[in-house]
Amino acid sequence: MPKISEKELKEQIKTEDFSRAYLIYGEESYLKEHYVGRLKAKLVDEAFADFNFHQYEGKNTSLADILQDADMIPMMGQCTFILVHDYPLDKSQKDIDALKEYFKDIPESCVIVFWYDSIEVDAKKSSKWKTVENLFAKVGSAARLDKRSESELAALVVSSAKKRGCQITSDLARYFIGIVGSDIQTVFSELEKICAFTGSGEITKAVIDDLAIKSLQARVYDLSKFILKGDSDNAYRVLGTLFSQKEEPIAVLSVIASCYVDMYRVKCAKASGANENELSQYFAYKGREFLIRNAARDCRTLSVNSLRNALDVLSDTDEKLKSTSVDKNILLEETVAKLLMMRNS
């Protein structure tokens, strides 16, 4: 079977038309774990799980041991289910060759799943991962599960709220995503809390503002917004809150820099005659398209030159944070002051 989409993987599980081998990889950890769990639930009889289910952490075992267990005849069940988590196949051509040879005659009684979470499978950058991807696509199914677009996430929020007896508009669902971030697990967790509070009926912006925990991205975005307005009192108030919450200064600076990078990209896109929405074709904005909209709004009064100067300041601060013993909070405070002064340069 070829490389398959999330929809096709879902259909396989629903119809129980399983492949003998799966490669589960991509950006979205929640979806990968979710579908691995669904495969296990369908294929493993819990009464015989001790005999028919074998799970391995990639760094703690050998491929030879994994394939040996894959050859075991299932006991009182339909198959032997082999789940391999983060096995570094890209580190050994010998392992890739061994797996290729094994797949020529993989037992009908076995389903083997290689699931990658902390290891990035990038077939565009690595020829070995490309080989692995093609191998699974040829003999089984290679399912890349990436982050959903903002519109897909918003639709998910609307439908999930409805299942919980609440209603939320698409526009407000997008606002909610902008507050809590695009991680699906976080979205579900925060939505569950808001629906429990609402009980039934319409979810309002006021409820989201009162109950939803802002992601670091959203909190630092507030900081950047105050900097661009020249509102030093509120900028330092937000910065003080980040300090009190023990947020890592390097992480805070990284998000501030990303806000300025977003604005610089939008500004350059407009200068070249392109639509800012085209940026999502070239940069990783999937599921975070609201960042482009925010950047387009915030950079209207800024010049390309002022944004370049700001990025130089941020780059200099990043170097100091990583290479000097100066108090990191003081460095951030100085950087905010510089950004406030140069916003109209």
Side-chain angles (χ1 to χ4, degrees), residues 7 31 57 106 111 113 125 135 209 266 271 292 301 306-307:
K7 182 179 179 181
L31 290 177
E57 288 299 322
I106 186 171
V111 171
V113 176
K125 295 181 180 179
L135 176 61
D209 289 338
V266 168
I292 301 176
T301 61
S306 66
L307 289 170

Side-chain angles (χ1 to χ4, degrees), residues 1-5 8 25 130 133-134 137-138 140-143:
M1 298 186 71
K3 286 179 279 188
I4 62 173
S5 65
E8 290 168 317
Y25 62 117
K130 182 65 175 177
E133 184 184 63
N134 289 337
K138 181 178 180 180
S141 294

